[in-house]
Amino acid sequence: MEYISEVKINEAVIHILDRNGDDVIYNEFYLNLEDEEVIDFVSKHVTKALKDESVKYGKFIKKSIVNEYCNRFFRCEDDLLGASKLIAKRLYEVMKEDTNIPSCDLMVVSILSDLGPLMGIFKMDYIKNYAHKVDVIGDKIGIDIISQFTGLPASSQKVLKCAFIKPFDENEKVNAYVIDKRLGKKIEGFNEDFFIDDFLNCNLERNQRDNTRDFLNMSEKWIRENYMDDAEKSYDIREGIKDKLEKESNIDLDELAEEVIQDEHLRGSFKEKIESSGVSNDIEVDKAFISNKFKRRRIRVDNNIDIYIDEDNYKDSSKFEVQRIGDGRINILIKNVENFIEK
């Protein structure tokens, strides 16, 4: 799995794609990255997206228009302003073909990373925010609250659809890193996959992180379906799975099921649940993903108590302990507390 840890923002530009208009409102200037608030806004969206666990690998189909526009920039045949206009026009054409695709701003960013140059493409859907409205009625002032739909996602929020494009090499397995939070979702016939299928025109390739993440998620779903009322067995199976993920580089589903699931009649359904998400029997573990995932644990107890604890304290028996009662219930102990505050 490829991970990007260092980025430098070179240039950025934003265009307005209002589907009620006749064309894109093209920007003729780059964003002012000397402004601390602007560079902070752009940088946080870039770094947040690259660290998102839902990032997928993309492989361009040869006829991809967006891929060609990006590579014109990488080959120095066009600057970012020119390339971004072509990319914005292509997305606008896709939007005009489907009335369900909402208006947005398109932010395009030139990035230098520790894995080489990238072009970031962000579909910035508008969010609802509120402002006051002042009216003068006779000799009196009236102030009301009105909603607006032109706000951009704050730097603390996640963008639903974005991509990071690499200089094209047909021999590489990965041409792009893609995020689509609405992937596979359909609302009254509207296919949210337009960003990947129609705009980027690329195929998604499964990677180590996909398999590791999906295995972990489907394991949790299976545990909830089969042991919701047995906290003791749930705990044992979860800990057995996490222990294997931390210690092993490859996991065989059959061997794992035999080791952590005592009821042999349920082992088959466990394997079926995992494989239903596209994960094969032999799982190559993404160790970086697991290390980050287990840095902090969130435990919900009986649907009304939440416990947040980092991995070191979770494994420190002098501070945290799970005790088996013997009837399917457990006690969770927080030990040797020296002080506490309320938030």
Side-chain angles (χ1 to χ4, degrees), residues 180-242:
D180 193 335
K181 299 289 186 180
R182 306 289 297 174
L183 185 64
K185 296 185 178 181
K186 293 185 178 181
I187 303 174
E188 296 180 356
F190 169 48
N191 187 0
E192 282 275 9
D193 296 354
F194 71 87
F195 186 76
I196 293 170
D197 295 341
D198 302 321
F199 172 60
L200 294 176
N201 202 6
C202 70
N203 295 320
L204 297 182
E205 308 285 338
R206 290 193 70 87
N207 56 48
Q208 279 180 279
R209 178 163 52 188
D210 290 331
N211 290 329
T212 305
R213 181 194 61 239
D214 292 347
F215 166 70
L216 197 57
N217 290 342
M218 297 307 285
S219 296
E220 178 61 26
K221 288 182 179 180
W222 182 86
I223 292 170
R224 295 181 189 185
E225 290 170 0
N226 291 275
Y227 291 103
M228 192 65 182
D229 298 322
D230 195 322
E232 184 176 348
K233 288 183 179 178
S234 296
Y235 171 76
D236 289 339
I237 294 173
R238 287 190 181 102
E239 291 304 298
I241 290 172
K242 289 171 182 173

Side-chain angles (χ1 to χ4, degrees), residues 90-123:
R90 176 55 192 153
L91 179 56
Y92 196 69
E93 290 170 350
V94 172
M95 291 169 58
K96 283 294 191 178
E97 292 173 2
D98 193 327
T99 58
N100 292 293
I101 302 175
S103 299
C104 66
D105 282 7
L106 185 73
M107 185 171 72
V108 183
V109 187
S110 168
I111 304 164
L112 182 61
S113 78
D114 51 334
L115 294 185
L118 298 170
M119 182 181 286
I121 302 174
F122 294 78
K123 185 179 186 294

Side-chain angles (χ1 to χ4, degrees), residues 9-23:
I9 309 299
N10 293 326
E11 297 172 317
V13 63
I14 197 163
H15 304 288
I16 299 174
L17 282 64
D18 182 355
R19 60 173 309 107
N20 297 314
D22 295 325
D23 201 353

